[in-house]
């Protein structure tokens, strides 16, 4: 008889059985606590099973039985999608059926959805139509330790909703030990609320899932490095040639650094002797497509070492198995809003001690690991304990607008986990007033302010869209709004093909700036590119991004139609002054983002204090202009870049925003 061949009849399990996750042994106590308490705070190491298992436990235990839904919020879109894919797989359903996700402009749920992953920003938006969030039996606020601005606002709302919906269950999950703060927040009576009749009621409890962690050796640099990207790459090869098996996770700050590093590793790996072990470098950041993001979860080809270069997405939000080595640059991109200049940017900032130890922990999930910190031990000691919550360093205009639309008029007295600085509140109110969203009593205007809050774009774009019909350019502004909401680039930039992309882009270029150029690209895509696949290829355009723009545009159009605003799409011969009308219309929304070109080619904002540079991706890069408005400020290193820039005339600022500029002088 042939020998029994073990390998032949067995295939490896698709997933580690969830029964082996640390959370499994807490199954009963978790369900008991959630049943008993309105608020449950779950603290556990990343990877212990909070995000993927808790919603399934709840669904199994009948929390969806009366047609209600379990919501799990994430601060990041990437996390919401990847986690939903995983849970749908474990649950055994098609994505969008029992398990789905919903992020801005992308709803993958259906009538049968029971477990829904969504961004916390989107759940706040849902409260506009369903103020008590009555579709949900349980709301789990995941990654609460990150203290994103939307998480903080959502927690404040949930605290209010809880009073009206005692049956609602709130779960707050956190990877760090801030649990007490969250519980105190929910237990305290805010000063403007009556205490409930039984006085100091018990609202909740904390459960800690002591996840299994292996020791991680932490190593520091002896002297600081000038270039952490380069140091990270050389450290990858040190590990690769000297250390035993195990994958590497490298924390950098953003897309540009990550792309550079992935490229460099691929190039240098090709120079290794052919006998050496292969190494596979992969990127992970928010701008990637879902398919590209999923690569990092696949196991590499046999005998290959995987190295993932990631933003802080991999810090807690997503878990990648097999990581034994972590390289920590010590930096993270954080939002920072300067109330003097009204400029919000993403700036590379030192991580906090909490984040650094969270990063190191990623190395010890499956066996003992090592963490290489690309800074000195002295530098580590000087790090702040925790990051400043986002609410204290962001542009608050979108949130104030939403709170007002939710009927919370006194936004200063809103119950914040950490109150934002007065300066930021004033600044945001000022902007909303100048946009016409608030009246002189700081009340939401109707219909303008209310509609601005409902539109899924930031207030300046919302205002632009809602004024577009009076400039006879609604169809065009809809396109511009969609094209500027994409997040990623519409151009496919392959290293070494910069020139070709440049010349493709020039074909669509409009003298007046980037907005009209985007419009040209979109119109060419609609007339040719949708049908001919070679159109995108020849023009270095990203077909997926363009298709997304079409879908976003349709969604924005539906919002407008719901407001009773008709969109005239007839392709009349464009009026001769169409371009001017569009730029005037943009000025009514973007006056706060006005700047003037200096003789040296850089820009200054109105106050003159801040030096801005046209981003190399802009048409205005290396071109002459006078006054311009811009859509956004890009990642900053030593320079502040502005992107999506259009020429305007100074007189228009006076015409459409005299109040705003007077306020400041
Ligand atoms: O939320 P928490 O960090 O506590 O853990 P989780 O995200 O629920 O992950 C539990 C387990 O599922 C871990 O072992 C992950 O490696 C695995 N997982 C995965 O393999 N792929 C995903 N997309 C998500 C989780
Ligand atoms: Mg999680």
């Amino acid at each position: 008889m042939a020998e029994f061949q073990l390998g032949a009849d067995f295939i490896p399990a698709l997933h580690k059985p969830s029964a082996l996750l640390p959370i499994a042994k807490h199954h009963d106590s978790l369900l008991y606590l959630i049943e008993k308490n309105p608020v449950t705070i779950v603290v556990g190491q990343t990877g212990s099973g909070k995000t993927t298992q808790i919603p399934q436990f709840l669904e199994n235990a009948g929390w969806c039985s009366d047609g209600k839904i379990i919501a799990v919020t994430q601060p990041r879109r990437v996390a919401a999608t990847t986690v939903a894919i995983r849970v749908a797989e474990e649950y055994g359903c098609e994505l969008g059926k029992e398990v789905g996700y919903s992020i801005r402009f992308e709803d993958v749920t259906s009538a049968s959805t029971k477990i829904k992953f969504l961004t916390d920003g989107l759940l706040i938006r849902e409260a506009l139509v369903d103020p008590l969030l009555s579709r949900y039996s349980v709301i789990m606020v995941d990654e609460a330790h990150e203290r994103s601005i939307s998480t903080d606002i959502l927690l404040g709302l949930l605290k209010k909703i809880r009073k009206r919906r005692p049956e609602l269950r709130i779960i707050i999950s956190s990877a760090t030990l801030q649990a007490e703060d969250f519980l105190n927040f929910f237990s305290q009576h805010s000063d403007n609320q009556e205490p409930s009749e039984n006085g100091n009621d018990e609202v909740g409890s904390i459960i800690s899932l002591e996840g299994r962690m292996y020791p991680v050796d932490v190593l520091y640099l002896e002297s600081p490095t000038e270039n952490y990207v380069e140091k990270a790459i050389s450290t990858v090869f040190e590990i690769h040639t000297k250390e035993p098996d195990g994958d590497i996770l490298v924390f950098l700050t953003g897309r540009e650094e990550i792309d550079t590093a992935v490229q460099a590793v691929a190039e240098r790996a090709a120079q290794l002797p052919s006998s050496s072990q292969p190494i596979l470098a992969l990127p992970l950041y928010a701008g990637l497509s879902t398919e590209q993001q999923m690569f990092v979860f696949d196991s590499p080809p046999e005998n290959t070492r995987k190295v993932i270069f990631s933003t802080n997405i991999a810090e807690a939000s997503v878990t990648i198995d097999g990581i034994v080595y972590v390289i920590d640059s010590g930096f993270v991109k954080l939002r920072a809003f300067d109330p003097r200049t009204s400029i919000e940017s993403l700036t590379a900032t030192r991580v906090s001690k909490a984040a650094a130890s969270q990063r190191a922990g990623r190395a010890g999930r499956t066996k003992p690991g090592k963490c290489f910190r690309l800074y000195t031990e002295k530098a580590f000691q000087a790090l702040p304990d925790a990051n400043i919550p986002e609410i204290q360093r962001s542009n608050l205009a979108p949130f104030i607008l939403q709170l007002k639309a939710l009927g919370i008029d006194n936004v200063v007295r809103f119950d914040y986990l950490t109150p934002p600085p007065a300066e930021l509140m004033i600044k945001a109110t000022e902007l909303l007033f100048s946009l016409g969203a608030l009246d002189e009593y700081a009340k939401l205007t109707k219909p303008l302010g209310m509609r601005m809050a409902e539109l899924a774009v930031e207030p300046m774009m919302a205002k632009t869209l809602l004024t577009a019909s009076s400039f006879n350019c609604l169809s065009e502004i809809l396109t511009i709004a969609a094209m500027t909401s994409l997040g990623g680039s519409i151009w496919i930039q392959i290293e070494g093909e910069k020139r070709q992309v440049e010349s493709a882009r020039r074909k669509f270029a409009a003298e007046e700036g980037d907005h009209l150029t985007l419009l040209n690209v979109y119109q060419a895509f609609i007339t040719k590119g949708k049908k001919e696949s070679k159109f995108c290829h020849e023009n270095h355009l990203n077909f997926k991004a363009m298709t997304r723009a079409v879908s976003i545009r349709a969604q924005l159009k539906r919002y407008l139609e719901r407001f009773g605003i008709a969109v005239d799409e007839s392709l009349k011969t464009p009026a001769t002054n169409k371009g001017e009308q569009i730029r005037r219309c943009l000025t009514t929304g973007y006056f706060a983002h006005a700047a003037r070109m200096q003789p040296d080619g850089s820009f200054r904002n109105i106050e003159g204090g801040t030096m801005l540079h046209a981003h190399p991706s802009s048409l205005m890069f290396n071109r002459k202009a006078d006054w311009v408005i811009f859509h956004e400020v890009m990642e900053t290193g030593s320079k502040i870049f502005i992107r999506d820039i259009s020429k305007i005339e100074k007189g228009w600022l006076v015409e459409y925003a005299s109040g705003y500029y007077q306020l400041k002088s």
Side-chain angles (χ1 to χ4, degrees):
M1 205 171 82
E3 213 177 309
F4 177 65
Q5 274 220 323
L6 245 184
D9 293 333
F10 291 86
I11 52 165
L14 184 56
H15 303 304
K16 180 159 85 174
S18 51
L20 294 182
L21 288 172
I23 202 163
K25 57 178 184 299
H26 298 278
H27 173 272
D28 295 350
S29 47
L30 252 172
L31 286 177
Y32 172 77
L33 286 179
I34 295 168
E35 176 88 49
K36 194 166 136 288
N37 298 300
V39 181
T40 304
I41 292 154
V42 183
V43 185
Q45 290 286 351
T46 302
S48 50
K50 301 181 296 296
T51 311
T52 56
Q53 305 307 311
I54 295 177
Q56 298 187 74
F57 290 175
L58 291 165
E59 196 272 330
N60 257 320
W63 283 92
C64 301
S65 53
D66 49 359
K68 290 249 195 306
I69 302 169
I70 297 160
V72 184
T73 70
Q74 299 288 322
R76 294 194 189 79
R77 300 159 57 103
V78 201
T81 53
T82 54
V83 163
I85 292 170
R86 165 69 176 214
V87 174
E89 233 169 67
E90 286 187 17
Y91 188 96
C93 72
E94 203 181 304
L95 186 64
K97 291 284 164 51
E98 283 79 5
V99 181
Y101 70 86
S102 192
I103 58 181
R104 190 174 71 139
F105 298 128
E106 202 177 325
D107 183 16
V108 186
T109 62
S110 62
S112 46
T113 300
K114 296 176 170 173
I115 298 173
K116 173 166 158 186
F117 293 89
L118 74 177
T119 54
D120 26 29
L122 204 77
L123 191 59
I124 298 175
R125 186 167 282 289
E126 285 190 5
L128 285 175
V129 272
D130 179 9
L132 294 181
L133 297 173
S134 54
R135 310 168 61 193
Y136 303 106
S137 55
V138 184
I139 294 172
M140 170 158 152
V141 181
D142 207 358
E143 314 292 351
H145 61 273
E146 282 206 22
R147 301 294 305 278
S148 82
I149 183 165
S150 299
T151 300
D152 274 22
I153 301 267
L154 179 62
L155 290 172
L157 284 180
L158 289 176
K159 184 170 172 182
K160 272 177 96 74
I161 291 174
R162 195 182 80 71
K163 307 236 146 84
R164 306 270 303 278
R165 282 192 61 199
E167 82 290 1
L168 174 69
R169 288 300 177 260
I170 298 167
I171 302 171
I172 297 167
S173 104
S174 169
T176 60
L177 294 163
Q178 270 177 344
E180 296 283 347
D181 296 351
F182 293 120
L183 192 57
N184 289 340
F185 174 70
F186 275 94
S187 315
Q188 270 160 19
H189 298 294
S190 49
D191 47 355
N192 54 347
Q193 270 153 346
E194 294 291 310
S196 61
E197 58 266 22
N198 55 347
N200 197 16
D201 53 350
E202 275 292 305
V203 294
S205 53
I206 300 176
I207 175 167
S208 166
L209 323 166
E210 83 297 358
R212 185 161 152 76
M213 274 292 288
Y214 295 87
V216 175
D217 272 343
V218 176
L219 299 103
Y220 292 95
L221 287 187
E222 212 168 320
S223 55
T225 170
E226 300 250 299
N227 181 342
Y228 61 75
V229 178
E230 183 47 46
K231 190 73 192 169
I233 298 164
S234 59
T235 308
V236 163
F237 283 96
E238 292 261 306
I239 295 171
H240 188 53
T241 47
K242 296 190 186 136
E243 298 280 346
D245 275 357
D247 295 337
I248 308 172
L249 173 62
V250 188
F251 288 99
L252 296 178
T253 71
R255 170 187 199 137
E256 275 162 36
E257 286 174 8
I258 291 172
D259 285 342
T260 309
V262 168
Q263 182 97 12
V265 169
E267 276 160 21
R268 277 179 231 183
Q271 290 158 18
L272 289 176
S274 59
S275 57
S276 54
Q277 186 194 8
I279 182 165
L280 174 68
L282 296 166
L284 179 62
Y285 50 78
L288 293 173
S289 70
T290 311
E291 291 92 332
Q292 285 170 310
Q293 282 161 11
M294 298 317 284
F295 283 138
V296 304
F297 298 103
D298 294 343
S299 24
E302 207 181 341
N303 188 34
T304 301
R305 194 194 296 265
K306 187 164 76 170
V307 47
I308 293 154
F309 290 92
S310 172
T311 58
N312 68 331
I313 293 175
E315 199 175 287
S317 303
V318 303
T319 309
I320 303 153
D321 287 328
I323 302 295
V324 179
Y325 306 99
V326 163
I327 301 176
D328 175 13
S329 66
F331 284 92
V332 60
K333 275 220 171 99
L334 292 180
R335 257 210 267 203
F337 181 73
D338 181 343
R340 281 180 310 110
T341 59
S342 294
I343 287 175
E344 184 172 51
S345 57
L346 281 169
T347 307
T349 316
R350 283 247 172 240
V351 295
S352 62
K353 286 203 184 87
S357 72
Q358 178 67 23
R359 288 178 174 191
R362 317 312 292 125
R365 283 198 48 247
T366 40
K367 57 175 157 172
K370 282 189 183 172
C371 172
F372 299 81
R373 289 185 173 153
L374 305 181
Y375 40 96
T376 62
E377 186 158 13
K378 210 167 135 214
F380 173 79
Q381 296 304 344
L383 294 178
D385 288 336
N387 287 331
I388 301 174
E390 207 175 50
I391 199 165
Q392 299 199 307
R393 50 184 167 81
S394 301
N395 170 18
L396 301 178
F399 298 93
I400 293 197
L401 186 61
Q402 284 193 322
L403 288 177
K404 297 261 178 190
L406 286 166
I408 297 158
D409 253 328
N410 192 343
V411 289
V412 178
R413 298 277 301 273
F414 181 70
D415 209 344
Y416 298 99
L417 208 53
T418 315
E423 206 186 0
L424 291 185
M425 298 282 264
I426 293 167
K427 193 71 197 184
T429 312
E430 220 173 84
L431 175 66
L432 291 172
F433 172 74
S434 300
L435 286 169
L438 302 181
D439 65 17
E440 60 266 47
Y441 307 104
K443 281 222 182 304
L444 199 64
T445 56
K446 286 190 181 122
L448 182 63
M450 195 64 200
R451 288 176 176 174
M452 281 173 63
E454 281 174 40
L455 271 172
V457 289
E458 43 86 27
M460 297 198 281
M461 185 52 91
K463 167 69 184 292
T464 309
L465 266 171
L466 291 165
T467 11
S469 3
S470 64
F471 287 90
N472 247 323
C473 58
L474 182 52
S475 167
E476 290 81 3
I477 295 287
L478 259 177
T479 301
I480 291 170
M483 292 289 276
T484 51
S485 296
L486 284 172
S489 172
I490 50 167
W491 304 101
I492 295 190
Q493 189 102 303
I494 302 168
E495 207 53 42
E497 287 192 4
K498 277 214 168 77
R499 283 236 320 279
Q500 288 91 318
V501 176
E502 205 35 60
S503 66
R505 216 168 49 190
R506 214 163 293 145
K507 277 195 252 170
F508 304 100
E511 172 62 19
E512 300 98 318
D514 295 315
H515 294 95
L516 290 166
T517 304
L518 289 174
L519 184 62
N520 289 344
V521 172
Y522 185 89
Q523 273 162 353
F525 177 76
I526 289 299
T527 44
K528 300 202 201 79
K530 268 213 304 204
K531 290 153 241 157
E532 285 176 56
S533 59
K534 67 174 199 289
F535 173 86
C536 278
H537 185 72
E538 282 170 4
N539 291 295
H540 295 263
L541 278 168
N542 182 339
F543 182 82
K544 278 233 169 98
M546 292 305 301
T547 316
R548 216 170 110 72
V550 175
S551 145
I552 294 176
R553 190 183 185 282
Q555 295 181 49
L556 289 173
K557 186 174 167 180
R558 277 200 294 277
Y559 274 104
L560 295 176
E561 287 168 349
R562 236 182 286 145
F563 301 149
I565 301 173
V567 185
D568 179 10
E569 303 274 30
S570 60
L571 283 172
K572 288 179 298 217
T573 38
T576 40
N577 66 343
K578 198 61 158 246
E580 177 176 329
Q581 293 297 85
I582 293 171
R583 288 178 298 126
R584 278 178 178 268
C585 181
L586 284 165
T587 311
T588 66
Y590 284 87
F591 52 81
H593 278 178
R596 186 178 197 183
M597 192 180 263
Q598 306 299 303
D600 67 358
S602 69
F603 291 90
R604 294 286 186 292
N605 66 337
I606 298 272
E607 288 92 341
T610 312
M611 194 198 274
L612 307 164
H613 298 270
H615 191 264
S617 73
S618 169
L619 208 79
M620 289 299 150
F621 181 66
N622 282 340
R623 288 211 197 184
K624 277 254 149 299
D626 190 18
W627 288 91
V628 298
I629 49 104
F630 56 91
H631 181 73
E632 63 179 349
V633 175
M634 286 279 288
E635 347 179 312
T636 60
S638 50
K639 281 181 172 179
I640 305 179
F641 288 108
I642 52 178
R643 196 171 90 129
D644 294 336
I645 307 169
S646 281
K647 293 183 184 171
I648 59 153
E649 278 163 33
K650 186 185 180 190
W652 300 350
L653 289 173
V654 181
E655 198 173 334
Y656 305 122
S658 56
Y660 184 75
Y661 286 110
Q662 265 162 24
L663 276 173
K664 305 211 263 204
S665 50

